[in-house]
Amino acid sequence: MESPFEYVTVLISIVLGMGITQLVSGFAAIVIKWERVKIYWPHMILILLVFIIHIQDWWATYELHTYAYWRLPTFLFIILYPVNLYILTRILFPPRWNVKEIDLKKFYFENYRKIYLFMIFLPAHSILENVFLAGYRIRDQFVQMFLLAILIPVAWLNRKDEWIHKAIAVIFLVIMIVTFAVAWNIFLITNN
């Protein structure tokens, strides 16, 4: 007999799997059309980060295995994160690949506000989940608050300065690397 955790995480895993499929398919399309694609490295870093966030969310879902009781509103709140990731993944890639040239820099700057809007949801949702479900305090959410402090003004003010977007991509990459280094043992699953 399966546990409630196993039951509810099936749908979470399906949605995350759909997002990973979109990411891998989008990247494969870039590789297949390589000679017609103009790469923009900040955009490629975002694609990498969103892929890792998919894996991290799936990994972090295991922390919910201790929940004894599941209610539909709680599940709906939790699944908003992978649903948002899936939508973000769809926005990261051009809808059509059958054009003469695919300029990912142009695509990025035409769509970055949509991308950032869905990226803003991620740390905002994490803060709420951490406070209300995991028992963290608001002041423990420094990384999430920092990400919001970067994303909201750039999206709101419609800043298209290329150096800003390059700096943001590097900052996000550094945050990811430092988070993995500092929280190495947090991302540990044991048989206990």
Side-chain angles (χ1 to χ4, degrees):
M1 184 170 151
E2 65 188 39
S3 70
F5 169 76
E6 293 169 326
Y7 178 74
V8 299
T9 56
V10 167
L11 188 55
I12 293 169
S13 296
I14 289 170
V15 175
L16 288 170
M18 289 169 43
I20 291 169
T21 300
Q22 289 294 321
L23 284 163
V24 173
S25 297
F27 186 73
I30 290 171
V31 172
I32 290 168
K33 313 275 187 193
W34 190 259
E35 62 281 346
R36 293 188 295 164
V37 177
K38 291 173 74 176
I39 299 293
Y40 186 56
W41 68 264
H43 183 239
M44 298 304 290
I45 287 177
L46 286 181
I47 291 169
L48 172 67
L49 292 174
V50 171
F51 175 77
I52 292 170
I53 293 169
H54 272 80
I55 303 299
Q56 187 272 334
D57 189 48
W58 173 76
W59 195 264
T61 299
Y62 184 75
E63 294 175 12
L64 302 174
H65 78 282
T66 58
Y67 275 40
Y69 302 100
W70 284 85
R71 290 183 173 77
L72 184 59
T74 304
F75 174 73
L76 291 172
F77 175 73
I78 290 169
I79 202 164
L80 282 176
Y81 196 90
V83 166
N84 183 77
L85 276 174
Y86 174 77
I87 295 167
L88 176 58
T89 300
R90 295 285 296 175
I91 296 169
L92 278 174
F93 295 99
R96 290 197 199 134
W97 291 93
N98 58 353
V99 293
K100 185 175 181 179
E101 181 181 78
I102 301 156
D103 185 345
L104 291 180
K105 180 178 178 180
K106 181 179 176 205
F107 173 81
Y108 172 84
F109 280 104
E110 288 172 352
N111 294 282
Y112 87 89
R113 290 184 84 187
K114 286 184 248 177
I115 293 168
Y116 280 24
L117 176 66
F118 283 88
M119 287 180 71
I120 287 167
F121 177 85
L122 299 174
H125 185 278
S126 291
I127 290 168
L128 294 173
E129 185 173 333
N130 288 342
V131 169
F132 293 110
L133 298 179
Y136 291 101
R137 296 171 299 197
I138 269 289
R139 69 176 178 237
D140 298 330
Q141 311 298 310
F142 174 77
V143 172
Q144 292 88 337
M145 295 290 195
F146 182 70
L147 292 172
L148 289 173
I150 293 171
L151 290 167
I152 291 172
V154 174
W156 183 270
L157 299 173
N158 198 17
R159 296 299 305 260
K160 292 190 178 186
D161 304 325
E162 190 172 0
W163 72 269
I164 291 174
H165 293 270
K166 287 179 177 180
I168 289 171
V170 170
I171 289 168
F172 287 171
L173 190 60
V174 168
I175 288 172
M176 182 196 65
I177 292 167
V178 169
T179 299
F180 282 142
V182 170
W184 183 256
N185 287 327
I186 292 173
F187 299 112
L188 176 67
I189 296 177
T190 65
N191 286 332
N192 298 336

